[in-house]
Amino acid sequence: MPELPEVEHLRRTLEERLVGTRIDAVRRGTFDVLDRSAYRTRASVDRMLLAAGTVTELRRRGKNLALLTDDGRVLGMHLGMSGRVTFTPPDADDRHAHVSWRFSSGTKTQGWMTFRDPRRFGGLTALPSAEALADHWSELGPDGFLAAKPELVRRLQGLRRQAKAALLDQRVIAGVGNIYADESLFRAGIHPLQPLTTLSNAALARLVDAVQSVLSAAVHAGGSTLRDYVDANSQPGSFQELHVVYGRAGMACPECGRPLDGFQAAGRTTVACRHCQPLIHTSGR
DNA sequence: CTGCTCCCCTGGGAGC
DNA sequence: TGCTCCCAGGGGAGCA
């Protein structure tokens, strides 16, 4: 699930539940999904996992999330393909439940939160300071949801890459994944394989508009639910009902009714309409 | 720089 | 019901 809208939805959920609470217990499963390389000083793993810290902020950039505590410690979180966060207690029988945290306000326990990631493409990053977090995120482009449109247009200008490859590259714009790339390109009427250098500034602006409107609609809908995904509060998202091309290869284009094409772009499964998103061939001279 | 391939790992669905 | 095969929302490394 985890593209920008799902991560932003999670960020808001955690912000509501965790800010101002103290982490009074940390429980680790058998597998260590924690990257500790940013720590130069001696610290226990529990300390790196924010034990005894009070949560002050939940920060997001693209698909990356971070918990910040009052004493400066930071825990970066990436959901990868299969990462989930739920308000559930540790489960020793679940070999994919990697870390659980218990939160309290004053002397009152508020509950548990568990990070689970069966496929382990995601993970946690221990960071000693907000500066270390900035460094950790320094390669990321501006956030696709929060950044101003002209900044995003500028990021796309001059790139010699195919449109979809550029959208998926987190260094260009942070947060767009395979689903929202296809949805954005369809809404903008731009073919995924179209080189950006062949597009006018007006077309790039149209693409950025599409990216931002798709992302904000998806955030508003609580993200997309595919398979059995539910959020931290066990609620499904609903944006999948608004997917018009993703997962619909061979089905009718919602605009022209012709069958949608399925193919590979930037190494990823891609769906587009060759009529509504014509690949524009330039003369070369 | 750009694109392509392969890899990390597990689970779910399709098809037989 | 059980088995095999294929596929998947991400990202990074290595190579031409």
Side-chain angles (χ1 to χ4, degrees):
Chain A
M1 323 33 356
E3 294 185 35
L4 187 155
E6 293 74 31
V7 179
E8 172 61 15
H9 181 68
L10 174 62
R11 191 198 69 77
R12 293 177 180 188
T13 304
L14 299 187
E15 180 175 69
E16 187 177 334
R17 288 259 206 148
L18 303 185
V19 168
T21 67
R22 183 174 180 277
I23 298 171
D24 63 5
V26 175
R27 193 76 59 86
R28 276 181 284 143
T30 51
F31 191 83
D32 190 359
V33 292
L34 180 66
D35 174 6
R36 313 191 268 179
S37 59
Y39 263 82
R40 291 282 171 267
T41 54
R42 288 174 56 222
S44 70
V45 172
D46 279 357
R47 290 282 302 165
M48 293 180 180
L49 291 171
L50 309 181
T54 294
V55 178
T56 54
E57 184 184 346
L58 280 118
R59 204 173 284 184
R60 182 191 59 76
R61 176 103 158 254
K63 304 168 192 172
N64 294 260
L65 191 64
L67 288 79
L68 286 77
T69 58
D70 58 342
D71 56 13
R73 283 175 291 160
V74 179
L75 185 64
M77 181 181 284
H78 198 292
L79 300 178
M81 296 258 287
S82 58
R84 308 262 173 93
V85 175
T86 53
F87 293 111
T88 52
D91 178 355
D93 294 332
D94 182 355
R95 66 194 178 104
H96 301 305
H98 304 308
V99 182
S100 296
W101 299 262
R102 191 176 72 191
F103 295 87
S104 64
S105 297
T107 57
K108 188 175 174 226
T109 294
Q110 298 291 307
W112 286 90
M113 176 177 98
T114 293
F115 173 71
R116 181 169 195 284
D117 183 14
R119 221 169 150 186
R120 270 184 276 135
F121 289 175
L124 306 170
T125 304
L127 299 158
S129 65
E131 290 71 35
L133 175 64
D135 187 58
H136 182 53
W137 287 355
S138 63
E139 294 294 307
L140 293 173
D143 186 79
F145 177 60
L146 298 175
K149 177 179 157 184
E151 186 183 5
L152 297 184
V153 172
R154 275 199 301 278
R155 301 289 297 182
L156 297 173
Q157 285 171 335
L159 292 181
R160 307 176 70 83
R161 313 184 63 182
Q162 296 173 344
K164 180 160 180 179
L167 289 184
L168 291 178
D169 188 337
Q170 303 299 296
R171 295 168 299 184
V172 178
I173 294 174
V176 180
N178 201 38
I179 295 176
Y180 298 109
D182 279 7
E183 296 297 321
S184 300
L185 288 161
F186 177 79
R187 284 163 173 79
I190 293 170
H191 196 278
L193 300 179
Q194 189 72 43
L196 289 181
T197 45
T198 64
L199 294 177
S200 66
N201 282 337
L204 292 180
R206 205 168 69 237
L207 179 54
V208 168
D209 271 339
V211 166
Q212 294 205 303
S213 65
V214 164
L215 291 178
S216 68
V219 167
H220 185 71
S224 298
T225 281
L226 292 158
R227 307 197 174 185
D228 59 348
Y229 165 75
V230 291
D231 72 7
N233 289 318
S234 304
Q235 298 301 307
S238 64
F239 191 72
Q240 70 282 357
E241 294 159 18
L242 302 176
H243 292 173
V244 291
V245 288
Y246 177 80
R248 304 178 73 85
M251 299 168 72
C253 169
E255 283 295 320
C256 72
R258 297 181 178 93
L260 293 165
D261 296 317
F263 55 100
Q264 293 283 119
R268 308 294 296 279
T269 297
T270 299
V271 182
C273 174
R274 72 180 72 180
H275 302 282
C276 300
Q277 300 164 266
L279 190 54
I280 303 160
H281 297 281
T282 52
S283 68
R285 273 185 305 112

